[in-house]
Amino acid sequence: MKSRVAYFGVFTALALIFSYIETLIPVNFGIYGVKLGLANLIIVVALYKLGPQEAFLLSVVRVVLSGFLFGNYFSILYSLAGGILSLSAMSLLKKSGGFSVMGVSIAGGVFHNIGQLIVAILVVETLSVVYYVPVLLAAGLLAGLVIGIAANEMLKRLKGLKL
Amino acid sequence: MKIGLKKKDWILILIILCVAGLTVLIHTYIGGSGANKVVVKVDGVIQGTYSLSEDGKIRINDGTNVLEISNGKADMIEADCPDQLCVNQRAVSRNHENIICLPNKVVVEVESSEESEYDAVTN
């Protein structure tokens, strides 16, 4: 039980570091809101290693902390909506079974973008952002796949880690 | 390299791609050409409509954002927010393309003058 708390701390630190690394990568795709979402790698691993409740808590803590450190009020709002929706989708798919880590991660990536899109629609009060749906879906799919492959490799190597 | 995707994963990917393709189709049908003006909105309220054929600079929101129109394209060139996402975004010219500055609640959207009924839907 004690080690679970310690591991939760390690996961939080890792997620924060990955958020930081993400801010260092100067990739600009020319499209608002498209990025890899490196921190989600840790969230996916935590989902499999710690369980949905811990992953949920980790996701919220990660968003709030990295928001204070590297972002602003809006980025917290955005990431929180995306993170919660993404994690809900991932937990559901994982529970339903039949999906690999990649499949779960893809759903996470896609729903992360959908969550952000919903916030965008509510904040700017326009439906015209729906224009970005195909781009965001494709981007979420690709990012989710990459993150999923990485998470799968990580989980293979973490098999001995019993929490 | 074997990635190890399962059958359900492929179904999921297929569904996502189908939805993405469908939205593109819907968009090309509803959208289309004839884009010739940009509408500037702040907090959902229309501040002004500008023709894409007339070059010029537009100060939005008392200068928090500056929009430049040149060569039939609209580009956000200045914003006072820290992340500068709208400034880094490419210029827009096609129908329903938009630039959004979330901190200042500024929306710049390309529209065509032919379809006025679309406004009733979006607002």
Side-chain angles (χ1 to χ4, degrees):
Chain A
M1 203 58 210
K2 258 181 202 162
S3 76
R4 266 183 95 80
V5 177
Y7 273 113
F8 186 80
V10 171
F11 273 113
T12 311
L14 270 174
L16 268 181
I17 290 167
F18 275 67
S19 301
Y20 176 60
I21 292 172
E22 180 111 50
T23 64
L24 292 181
I25 305 171
V27 186
N28 179 24
F29 294 95
I31 301 155
Y32 183 83
V34 174
K35 56 178 189 175
L36 189 53
L38 274 175
N40 286 335
L41 174 59
I42 304 302
I43 307 288
V44 174
V45 173
L47 179 66
Y48 276 85
K49 279 289 163 189
L50 293 167
Q53 274 141 15
E54 279 88 347
F56 189 83
L57 188 62
L58 177 66
S59 183
V60 173
V61 168
R62 201 277 301 178
V63 166
V64 173
L65 285 180
S66 72
F68 278 131
L69 287 170
F70 321 115
N72 49 44
Y73 162 70
F74 276 101
S75 59
I76 293 178
L77 196 69
Y78 254 105
S79 309
L80 213 54
I84 289 170
L85 203 63
S86 153
L87 203 66
S88 311
M90 290 199 289
S91 311
L92 270 175
L93 283 203
K94 183 177 170 265
K95 220 176 171 182
S96 75
F99 291 96
S100 70
V101 183
M102 278 72 74
V104 169
S105 174
I106 286 168
V110 168
F111 276 93
H112 195 273
N113 285 352
I114 291 175
Q116 300 201 327
L117 195 75
I118 292 170
V119 174
I121 289 172
L122 292 178
V123 171
V124 296
E125 290 172 18
T126 174
L127 272 177
S128 54
V129 280
V130 172
Y131 178 77
Y132 285 133
V133 166
V135 178
L136 287 177
L137 284 182
L141 179 71
L142 210 64
L145 185 64
V146 172
I147 293 295
I149 292 167
N152 199 28
E153 291 300 315
M154 250 178 105
L155 285 167
K156 266 187 213 160
R157 284 155 181 78
L158 288 175
K159 252 188 189 135
L161 185 69
K162 292 272 183 294
L163 296 171
Chain B
M1 192 181 93
K2 201 163 166 280
I3 304 175
L5 284 168
K6 291 182 186 169
K7 196 182 161 195
K8 277 192 177 179
D9 297 334
W10 286 111
I11 295 171
L12 180 74
I13 292 172
L14 212 67
I15 291 172
I16 294 165
L17 288 179
C18 281
V19 172
L22 208 68
T23 44
V24 170
L25 269 181
I26 291 171
H27 211 271
T28 38
Y29 271 104
I30 299 176
S33 57
N36 50 16
K37 58 176 186 176
V38 279
V39 176
V40 176
K41 286 183 199 165
V42 177
D43 208 359
V45 183
I46 296 175
Q47 299 289 305
T49 307
Y50 307 92
S51 171
L52 274 175
S53 51
E54 288 167 36
D55 292 4
K57 283 181 185 168
I58 302 154
R59 280 164 57 87
I60 304 165
N61 226 357
D62 291 326
T64 60
N65 296 65
V66 178
L67 185 78
E68 187 184 49
I69 297 175
S70 66
N71 300 325
K73 286 184 174 184
D75 193 15
M76 194 74 86
I77 52 168
E78 264 178 51
D80 64 354
C81 54
D83 42 49
Q84 299 286 306
L85 282 167
C86 56
V87 178
N88 290 331
Q89 198 191 322
R90 70 206 152 114
V92 293
S93 60
R94 298 205 333 265
N95 205 5
H96 299 313
E97 272 192 318
N98 52 30
I99 303 173
I100 292 169
C101 175
L102 213 50
N104 295 333
K105 297 192 175 181
V106 173
V107 179
V108 176
E109 192 184 352
V110 180
E111 279 185 6
S112 85
S113 42
E114 285 118 59
E115 35 165 354
S116 50
E117 77 277 9
Y118 195 83
D119 276 328
V121 183
T122 44
N123 293 328

